[in-house]
Amino acid sequence: MRIPRGIARTGLTVLAALTLGLVVLILVSDRPSRAVTFFFAGPFLNLYSFGNMLGSAVPLMLTGMGIVAAFRASVFNLGGEGQVYTGALIATMICLALPRLPGWAGILLSLAAGTLVGAVLAGLSGLFYARWRTNELLSSFLLSAAAVLIVDYLIAGPLDDPASNLLATPAVASRFRLLRILPPSYLDAGVAAVLLLAVLLTVYLFKTRSGYELRMCGSNREFAQYGGIRVGLYLVLPMVMSGGFHGLAGGMSILGTHYRCIQGFSVGLGWNGIAVALIGRNHPLGVIPAALLYAYLEAGAQAAVLHAGMSFEIATLVQAVIFYLVTAQGLISWIPREGLLKHRGRPPLRGRRKR
Amino acid sequence: MSSLLSVLHNALPVATPLLIAALGGLLTELTGILNIGLEGLMLTGAFFGFLVAGMTGSVALGAAAGMGAAGLLALLFAYACLKLRANIFISGIAINLLAASLTSILATRFFGRKGIYRTEALPSLFKTAAADWTGPVGRILLDQSLFVYAGWLLALLVSVALYRTSFGLRLRAAGHDPRTLKALGLRPTRYRFAAIMLCGLACGLAGAYLSLNLEAFVPNITAGRGWIALVIIFLGYRRPGGIVIASLVFGLAESLSNFSQGFLDLPSQVILAFPYLISAAALVVYSIWEYHRHFVSRFRLPPR
Amino acid sequence: MGCDRGDPVGVHLRLRHITKRYRVNGVLANDDVSLDVREGEIHAIVGENGAGKTTLMEILDGLESPDSGEIVIRGRTAAISSPREASRLGIGMIHQHFRLVRPFTVAENVVLGLEPRTRLGLLDRRRARRSVRELARRVGFDIDPDRRVGDLSVSQMQQVELVGLLYRSAELLVLDEPTTVLTESQVAELFRTLRELAGAGKTVLFISHKLREVLSIADRITVMRRGRIVAHGRTGEFDEQRLTRIMMGDEDPEPPLRPSTAPGEPVYEIRGLTLHTPGREEPALKGIDLTVHRGEIVGVTGISGSGLAELEDTVSAMIHGQGRVTSGELRLRGEDVTDLTCHQLRRRGFAYVPSDRLFRGVSLDSSLSDNLAVPVLRKMPHLVFVGDARLREHALSLQKAYGIEADPSLPVGTLSGGNIQKTILARELSHPAALVLFSEPTSGVDLRSTAVIFRRLFRLKAAGAAVLVISTDMDEILTLSDRIAVMYQGSIVRILSGTPPPTREEIGRLMLGGGSHHGTNRTGAP
């Protein structure tokens, strides 16, 4: 069976990343053999760690899909971190503010609110870009960075749960918590919804007219406009979708895993979403195995930290190295007109003439 | 009146790292590469500058080390972008993540603990003595550390290099029309590489200044300054002169907000968020201004 | 007729048995090509697209290396490994798409790569300026070294390129299709310059498919077809008919005749259109009045910079972001369409074949099937499931009708230039349209395909479409148009009706502003 070249390259990169992670572990850890064992086998030790690994992949799948939605339109959402975090907080607050709602209503409402918040945050950047050519990379990042700080403040301050040792909000009522499907791990039923979303996104992108138009705008915006596609729409819509996915990721993390908004719980979800999208070759279905892989690496690192006394930053370093390798291995050839900023061609063309 | 003076006086040291980093970023931007990794490069410079200065007791060595370390990181960035043809934005993010985790780990390793690191062994940065007879303005301009003047000097050097040397000409050509350079037998990649390395050195210097000036190092000491430097590049219309002005404006704004922190009762995180929010606002305002300048205000509409 | 200055003495360039096969697609681009170019002569290489001229040029320029064969320059065998090497050997090339950095000044462009330095190592602008002025004077140009190249006219840009070659001491000047972007009078100017340069000892290699021009400037002509040399000799031995026959082989397509259908009611009206662009005080379009009727082909022509591009962008609603209509209106079938977007125009029956084929007409990274799918998808609701099979079927049927032989799932970027143009035509013309806009329809297209395109346009006219053709190519305009509007500096100088048939001289004069009514608008009745 011949493996297509692109996938072979991806595989090689992943392998290289794992090897490098291994090397770093051996070099840095005090007890290398133990660290290595736990790094690679840790997640499979028992149902708890295995289920948790799967569970941690779920928000990654969502952020990965969010990045795919934007990348396919050649729009860049660098504000994932803030969108996830803010979405998580809003979802928590809704549950806390309306404890008497029936379970399903609260879940739906809070997830919808989280999605909405993320969508608005990213959508603002998209709007600024469509209307005034404001660089959306910078604006999305700046807004998100500010949002993270503000949410940090809110959690540590007015919304802090005095009863808990953590810097976190109070926990949401148990009726709002998603069903655990692999106890004692925290893998929840949300995974089914996320898988469904991946399929829906795939169908949207590749089998509908709107998805086609979005991809055309990503390939060549001038051509898209020339062909009668509303380019302005596809500057904002992908950002809105992207932010929505990120916000949803935040909400689902709360309702499925943490049950309260802990300060800094979501650090890295945004950036890792980008890596996951890349490993998944910018395809919603590819994001699923990519997120699983990433989650595996993270779970392995955590196991090494827990059982082999490795420090937390090392795990972050391993992830960062992997991120670098992933981006640098030329997987990106299919991102339209890679490399220079100039590839985006002429300024975005607005949908309406003005007198 | 003296509080106004102190705000003005502080604006310059605050603006300096922004200015230096933005000048570095300008070089790469003019070759067509928007370097998102400025933040990571600065952080690397801050850490290694602090580390080496603390160990050797020399500010100069510290600055050099900061520049060198950031230069190495920039090398990674250049390799990814130019040789492996990776997406420049994602490579920039990778640089930021690498720097953040690396500096954090190494800090814990070297200092054996987490948190803020201080050193007393550091000589205070060389400052020119303010002559009494120059008055308040003189004190603002002259009572600054060497770094501040280095920043201005750098702005001048970059300006000359870009517009008065053949290197600068070719560098700008690489950004405008790399095909033409290739047709002339020159390699745009070489100039991009040079730009990235120079950018790394500049950001290393800017970062080193941050930690050396503070005589401390905290993980994430850069607090978004790398991103602000990016915004400054655009606000300065991608020219050294404009960048000087824009960085001064930001320096003034931050100095002002630091000053007002004294009597405004705002939580620390909100204060930290200010630079981001102000930058975002500045970015949007700039875009609107540019948009109107280009597409709206020039045209007087005749009555229909 | 070519000037006959007696046999020049030596051989400047000798190509012996150059063969080149592209590995990518197996095409034999140069098949045992041998040719001599003599010192101080003007030598033309003619041939259709795909004849191998471009490949030969790329070999000379060091961009490609031949599989076999040798290159001898002034008696010494040379291996041209890079453009820099070619330059060192005295070969200077001007490509069809200029290699100039537009934001830079003339002087900066000329010296780029070989910059004069002062003692301090800085750029010596004064010396650069002086060199440029001297060299320009030597060939009779009048260029201000400090002007931005982006502000210059196309023929001036070409002059800058020539000066650049002289600056680099090029002895063998190779020009690739230099006249495609020039008007008649600019061509004459260029030829004058070339003769002077040849007289001063330079050798000129001139590559073109414009036979009339070649016959007027060249000393000797070489004809290529399908990678081989099929004829060569002194210019005096050839005439246009003979050249065409040799170039085309046995096939000699008759230029199709324009059907004379009487035009119907007005379909598209431009009234008093004024367009401002950012950065310029003067409007790019001033008070344009033009009407296109049913079953009529209206041609708009002018030199580059006279507003043709802006007109194209305005009519096609692609002008957003690059200009604003400040007065006047556009009407399609009576409806005011001035403020509409491309999207809305398309819905009202607008088809458009742009001059910028690669970056506007297609999406190079997308598949052929995707590129052809746009009009089909446009008719569907946004979120309905559309199968790949259906799009593929549609693509294949269009491919069959237009003779595009390729796998529809491959990206369009892998297709040849001719196939790309066919793709655009297939997509745009396969659905009935009220107004069809064609810009530079046969630019860079070989004779055979040109005839095919002309035929399609005439079929459109016969079917009752309103066709607007914008082109700088006078032959094309004359063949196609029922009426011709000539633009100059943003206004329509004159609209020539079919009777009496307009002449090239008349149009040429109008293109340079010499109108019988001194630039005031005048609409010609159909």
Side-chain angles (χ1 to χ4, degrees):
Chain A
M1 181 189 81
R2 278 198 67 214
I3 309 173
R5 212 155 137 249
I7 300 190
R9 284 220 303 225
T10 314
L12 272 173
T13 306
V14 167
L15 214 59
L18 284 174
T19 316
L20 201 62
L22 196 61
V23 168
V24 170
L25 271 182
I26 295 179
L27 285 178
V28 172
S29 157
D30 301 317
R31 297 185 275 176
S33 58
R34 200 173 153 83
V36 168
T37 319
F38 277 104
F39 187 82
F40 287 105
F44 301 105
L45 281 180
N46 48 39
L47 214 56
Y48 178 73
S49 26
F50 183 66
N52 283 349
M53 177 187 81
L54 293 180
S56 67
V58 171
L60 266 181
M61 288 180 203
L62 283 172
T63 55
M65 285 196 273
I67 297 294
V68 169
F71 262 8
R72 283 279 174 177
S74 275
V75 177
F76 293 92
N77 179 11
L78 290 192
E81 295 281 325
Q83 288 149 24
V84 170
Y85 202 28
T86 316
L89 184 66
I90 296 294
T92 316
M93 294 324 295
I94 298 263
C95 287
L96 291 177
L98 305 168
R100 300 220 170 274
L101 276 181
W104 58 268
I107 293 177
L108 279 177
L109 192 60
S110 58
L111 287 181
T115 310
L116 189 65
V117 155
V120 165
L121 268 180
L124 270 176
S125 294
L127 265 174
F128 288 147
Y129 184 44
R131 185 80 172 72
W132 290 304
R133 296 170 55 188
T134 313
N135 185 310
E136 86 281 13
L137 286 109
L138 291 181
S139 68
S140 62
F141 172 79
L142 291 172
L143 275 177
S144 136
V148 164
L149 286 165
I150 294 177
V151 171
D152 272 343
Y153 156 69
L154 288 172
I155 293 181
L159 302 177
D160 183 31
D161 181 7
S164 147
N165 289 335
L166 300 163
L167 278 175
T169 66
V172 304
S174 54
R175 73 179 75 190
F176 298 131
R177 304 181 189 186
L178 297 174
L179 185 67
R180 291 196 175 181
I181 60 176
L182 207 61
S185 78
Y186 55 72
L187 179 64
D188 61 72
V191 61
V194 171
L195 291 176
L196 181 64
L197 271 174
V199 171
L200 285 177
L201 185 61
T202 308
V203 168
Y204 168 74
L205 280 178
F206 296 102
K207 302 280 183 199
T208 65
R209 171 189 167 189
S210 182
Y212 167 85
E213 294 187 338
L214 189 149
R215 285 183 295 119
M216 276 303 127
C217 288
S219 309
N220 184 342
R221 226 164 255 155
E222 183 171 347
F223 168 73
Q225 183 187 31
Y226 150 82
I229 297 176
R230 282 145 109 181
V231 171
L233 174 65
Y234 295 103
L235 292 174
V236 181
L237 181 65
M239 286 298 273
V240 165
M241 290 199 317
S242 186
F245 275 109
H246 282 84
L248 181 63
M252 288 201 78
S253 289
I254 299 295
L255 296 187
T257 307
H258 302 279
Y259 309 133
R260 61 174 84 230
C261 203
I262 306 172
Q263 195 184 63
F265 84 92
S266 66
V267 167
L269 269 180
W271 303 124
N272 293 338
I274 297 181
V276 162
L278 288 178
I279 300 178
R281 298 176 63 75
N282 210 26
H283 192 290
L285 293 178
V287 160
I288 296 174
L292 282 170
L293 173 72
Y294 221 88
Y296 165 66
L297 290 173
E298 187 155 334
Q302 272 175 16
V305 167
L306 220 51
H307 300 283
M310 203 175 65
S311 74
F312 170 68
E313 279 85 6
I314 307 234
T316 329
L317 177 64
V318 172
Q319 277 190 321
V321 166
I322 291 170
F323 196 84
Y324 175 77
L325 277 180
V326 160
T327 72
Q329 279 298 318
L331 291 175
I332 334 293
S333 48
W334 37 255
I335 287 188
R337 318 252 193 91
E338 54 75 20
L340 314 180
L341 194 58
K342 304 260 189 295
H343 86 258
R344 295 200 291 172
R346 308 242 190 97
L349 305 156
R350 283 183 52 231
R352 198 163 305 237
R353 270 198 234 201
K354 228 171 122 186
R355 285 299 197 105
Chain B
M1 260 296 104
S2 68
S3 46
L4 173 65
L5 273 180
S6 72
V7 168
L8 288 174
H9 184 250
N10 281 332
L12 290 175
V14 171
T16 299
L18 296 174
L19 171 65
I20 299 179
L23 286 172
L26 176 68
L27 288 177
T28 62
E29 166 64 13
L30 288 180
T31 60
I33 297 180
L34 183 63
N35 186 355
I36 301 221
L38 294 186
E39 180 86 3
L41 292 169
M42 280 177 82
L43 190 58
T44 312
F47 174 74
F48 284 95
F50 176 79
L51 185 67
V52 171
M55 290 197 310
T56 64
S58 155
V59 167
L61 280 179
M67 289 169 71
L72 281 176
L73 197 60
L75 194 64
L76 274 177
F77 179 66
Y79 185 69
C81 287
L82 300 178
K83 201 68 196 287
L84 301 174
R85 316 215 334 141
N87 183 293
I88 51 166
F89 306 130
I90 301 176
S91 303
I93 297 173
I95 294 297
N96 289 340
L97 290 179
L98 271 175
S101 47
L102 254 177
T103 55
S104 192
I105 293 173
L106 290 175
T108 321
R109 274 264 136 171
F110 272 100
F111 303 119
R113 56 181 176 82
K114 294 187 181 234
I116 304 177
Y117 310 99
R118 285 186 211 281
T119 171
E120 279 85 35
L122 218 49
S124 65
L125 293 174
F126 174 82
K127 290 189 180 225
T128 62
D132 281 319
W133 48 264
T134 51
V137 176
R139 222 171 300 140
I140 294 175
L141 290 177
L142 294 178
D143 187 17
Q144 300 287 359
S145 79
L146 210 56
F147 274 99
V148 173
Y149 304 126
W152 295 347
L153 188 64
L154 195 63
L156 192 64
L157 279 176
V158 167
S159 189
V160 165
L162 281 178
Y163 299 106
R164 291 186 175 281
T165 65
S166 59
F167 171 75
L169 190 70
R170 298 181 191 184
L171 191 142
R172 286 182 292 129
H176 286 308
D177 197 347
R179 277 189 329 150
T180 300
L181 264 192
K182 270 195 237 168
L184 291 168
L186 299 168
R187 268 177 285 168
T189 309
R190 250 200 224 155
Y191 296 94
R192 289 193 186 127
F193 180 76
I196 293 177
M197 295 311 293
L198 289 172
C199 176
L201 292 177
C203 292
L205 182 64
Y209 175 67
L210 273 180
S211 56
L212 293 177
N213 193 35
L214 216 54
E215 295 179 355
F217 177 80
V218 188
N220 198 30
I221 187 178
T222 47
R225 286 193 179 77
W227 294 92
I228 298 178
L230 280 174
V231 176
I232 286 179
I233 295 174
F234 291 107
L235 289 183
Y237 284 81
R238 312 200 307 163
R239 262 177 265 153
I243 288 179
V244 169
I245 298 176
S247 47
L248 281 176
V249 167
F250 268 92
L252 198 60
E254 193 173 326
S255 175
L256 204 63
S257 83
N258 283 344
F259 176 72
S260 56
Q261 205 174 347
F263 47 80
L264 279 181
D265 196 19
L266 283 173
S268 60
Q269 289 108 334
V270 179
I271 302 273
L272 277 176
F274 270 3
Y276 294 112
L277 289 172
I278 295 179
S279 307
L283 193 63
V284 174
V285 167
Y286 162 78
S287 313
I288 301 181
W289 171 270
E290 271 297 286
Y291 179 81
H292 272 263
R293 198 168 72 96
H294 263 282
F295 304 127
V296 178
S297 56
R298 289 191 95 88
F299 312 123
R300 283 154 273 112
L301 302 174
R304 284 273 265 146
Chain C
M1 299 306 294
C3 38
D4 197 306
R5 286 178 278 107
D7 276 341
V9 177
V11 171
H12 191 147
L13 171 72
R14 166 164 284 162
L15 298 173
R16 282 249 156 285
H17 307 293
I18 300 283
T19 303
K20 170 89 190 167
R21 183 189 290 275
Y22 282 115
R23 251 175 294 128
V24 183
N25 48 19
V27 169
L28 189 58
N30 287 149
D31 190 358
D32 194 25
V33 170
S34 299
L35 101 98
D36 285 354
V37 181
R38 302 193 190 148
E39 289 278 354
E41 77 167 350
I42 301 181
H43 191 117
I45 301 185
V46 295
E48 288 280 86
N49 277 1
K53 317 190 295 282
T54 316
T55 309
L56 204 59
M57 259 192 14
E58 289 179 344
I59 291 176
L60 274 180
D61 200 21
L63 291 169
E64 294 277 352
S65 49
D67 298 332
S68 64
E70 64 170 8
I71 303 172
V72 182
I73 298 182
R74 284 188 166 152
R76 297 164 71 186
T77 319
I80 311 180
S81 51
S82 68
R84 203 154 218 188
E85 183 69 28
S87 183
R88 200 138 31 91
L89 290 164
I91 301 178
M93 195 155 320
I94 299 187
H95 305 263
Q96 212 175 346
H97 304 288
F98 297 141
R99 301 293 161 84
L100 294 172
V101 184
R102 268 146 224 252
F104 284 1
T105 65
V106 169
E108 286 170 344
N109 266 286
V110 168
V111 303
L112 185 61
L114 266 179
E115 302 91 350
R117 314 240 173 116
T118 67
R119 249 173 302 137
L120 290 168
L122 299 178
L123 204 53
D124 193 344
R125 286 179 188 271
R126 213 175 304 163
R127 227 191 318 157
R129 262 183 241 131
R130 222 183 316 136
S131 307
V132 170
R133 265 193 275 258
E134 268 175 39
L135 288 170
R137 209 176 327 131
R138 224 187 285 170
V139 275
F141 292 157
D142 182 22
I143 314 179
D144 177 4
D146 287 319
R147 278 193 75 187
R148 277 180 70 240
V149 162
D151 295 335
L152 297 179
S153 74
V154 172
S155 76
Q156 282 172 318
M157 284 194 211
Q158 206 175 57
Q159 290 174 347
V160 173
E161 287 247 43
L162 270 176
V163 172
L165 293 188
L166 296 177
Y167 181 76
R168 273 166 248 286
S169 319
E171 292 291 315
L172 173 65
L173 307 175
V174 184
L175 289 85
D176 177 22
E177 303 281 2
T179 58
T180 344
V181 291
L182 301 179
T183 64
E184 301 254 314
S185 61
Q186 287 169 340
V187 168
E189 231 182 278
L190 173 67
F191 284 0
R192 209 185 328 123
T193 310
L194 290 179
R195 283 194 204 100
E196 268 185 50
L197 288 169
K202 308 279 183 199
T203 309
V204 177
L205 191 56
F206 185 100
I207 293 159
S208 176
H209 66 269
K210 296 215 173 155
L211 302 178
R212 209 175 306 129
E213 291 171 356
V214 160
L215 286 166
S216 79
I217 184 66
D219 298 322
R220 298 201 306 149
I221 301 178
T222 298
V223 187
M224 287 185 75
R225 189 174 86 227
R226 302 242 175 90
R228 311 170 134 249
I229 303 219
V230 291
H232 61 90
R234 310 182 64 92
T235 308
E237 303 168 24
F238 297 99
D239 65 16
E240 205 171 333
Q241 269 176 310
R242 184 164 173 234
L243 276 177
T244 313
R245 228 177 312 130
I246 300 177
M247 267 172 49
M248 307 288 299
D250 293 315
E251 316 157 47
D252 185 11
E254 289 283 332
L257 289 172
R258 194 177 347 128
S260 53
T261 50
E265 76 276 11
V267 170
Y268 189 68
E269 298 162 272
I270 307 176
R271 293 193 202 146
L273 180 72
T274 303
L275 178 85
H276 276 86
T277 49
R280 278 166 65 176
E281 269 309 313
E282 280 280 290
L285 295 175
K286 301 176 200 150
I288 304 280
D289 284 302
L290 187 63
T291 307
V292 187
H293 300 79
R294 205 162 179 278
E296 174 185 43
I297 300 181
V298 173
V300 184
T301 187
I303 57 175
S304 41
S306 56
L308 295 181
E310 288 85 354
L311 184 64
E312 176 185 345
D313 284 347
T314 309
V315 170
S316 61
M318 292 290 286
I319 195 73
H320 302 307
Q322 281 143 338
R324 280 177 67 206
V325 173
T326 47
S327 81
E329 59 177 14
L330 304 165
R331 284 188 175 272
L332 178 63
R333 288 203 271 221
E335 182 191 353
D336 186 345
V337 298
T338 324
D339 287 323
L340 293 192
T341 63
C342 301
H343 167 75
Q344 290 159 322
L345 260 188
R346 291 285 190 167
R347 275 206 161 154
R348 287 159 174 74
F350 173 62
Y352 168 33
V353 179
S355 56
D356 182 359
R357 290 176 209 145
L358 295 183
F359 296 110
R360 184 180 287 188
V362 292
S363 167
L364 292 172
D365 300 318
S366 308
S367 68
L368 181 55
S369 164
D370 277 348
N371 269 279
L372 291 170
V374 186
V376 170
L377 289 174
R378 212 182 293 146
K379 301 201 168 79
M380 319 190 74
H382 281 270
L383 289 177
V384 155
F385 189 91
V386 175
D388 284 330
R390 177 145 169 223
L391 292 180
R392 196 186 161 87
E393 228 179 83
H394 173 253
L396 285 171
S397 72
L398 276 183
Q399 279 178 253
K400 201 153 157 228
Y402 282 77
I404 309 169
E405 286 186 22
D407 180 357
S409 54
L410 286 182
V412 161
T414 60
L415 296 179
S416 69
N419 274 333
I420 292 182
Q421 177 71 320
K422 283 189 209 164
T423 305
I424 301 177
L425 287 172
R427 183 188 59 228
E428 296 299 311
L429 301 185
S430 55
H431 300 262
L435 172 69
V436 183
L437 174 64
F438 266 90
S439 182
E440 311 285 351
T442 63
S443 154
V445 172
D446 58 46
L447 273 181
R448 204 165 309 146
S449 307
T450 299
V452 171
I453 294 177
F454 283 174
R455 239 175 264 128
R456 281 209 185 264
L457 273 158
F458 292 147
R459 225 182 291 162
L460 278 175
K461 172 184 148 86
V467 181
L468 184 60
V469 175
I470 298 179
S471 173
T472 50
D473 184 338
M474 227 189 285
D475 291 314
E476 186 170 71
I477 288 285
L478 280 168
T479 313
L480 288 171
S481 322
D482 296 317
R483 289 187 298 138
I484 301 177
V486 184
M487 286 189 70
Y488 177 68
Q489 289 188 348
S491 341
I492 294 187
V493 179
R494 187 105 182 275
I495 300 186
L496 303 164
S497 69
T499 47
T503 63
R504 303 172 67 87
E505 291 73 32
E506 197 179 351
I507 299 180
R509 216 181 350 111
L510 290 168
M511 279 163 111
L512 294 174
S516 41
H517 289 261
H518 299 290
T520 55
N521 279 351
R522 223 171 154 253
T523 52

